[in-house]
Amino acid sequence: VECSNAAEALEAAGAGADIILLDNLPPQELHSAAAQVKAVHPRVMVEASGGVVLGTLPQFLGPHIDVVSMGCLTHSAPALDFALRV
């Protein structure tokens, strides 16, 4: 379940969500929300996403974050122009 704050994440986990996606949270808020979720629901997987690029990746890693998604790997990848002639 995609959540934008700790309250939504706790509600989703309490309703039975297996994975919580904390989206577009600043790193400090992200880690606080993840810790709150893990304290009450330790088996729920917590994913961080939104605004993560290679330069900021270390800020999103932490003991309560299980997965980090980086959209820049797909939407910011350079294009390659090629042709296949048979």
Side-chain angles (χ1 to χ4, degrees), residues 20-46:
I20 301 297
L21 169 66
L22 295 171
D23 196 22
N24 292 316
L25 296 177
Q28 187 172 351
E29 188 177 339
L30 166 75
H31 294 296
S32 174
Q36 290 176 53
V37 170
K38 290 289 191 171
V40 181
H41 306 282
R43 290 197 164 96
V44 170
M45 183 176 291
V46 177

Side-chain angles (χ1 to χ4, degrees), residues 1-10 20-37 46-53 56-57 59-61 65 68-69:
V1 175
E2 183 175 327
C3 302
S4 58
N5 59 50
E8 288 179 4
L10 287 167
I20 301 297
L21 169 66
L22 295 171
D23 196 22
N24 292 316
L25 296 177
Q28 187 172 351
E29 188 177 339
L30 166 75
H31 294 296
S32 174
Q36 290 176 53
V37 170
V46 177
E47 179 177 355
S49 182
V52 184
V53 296
T56 63
L57 178 60
Q59 298 173 25
F60 291 87
L61 303 176
I65 305 297
V68 178
S69 296

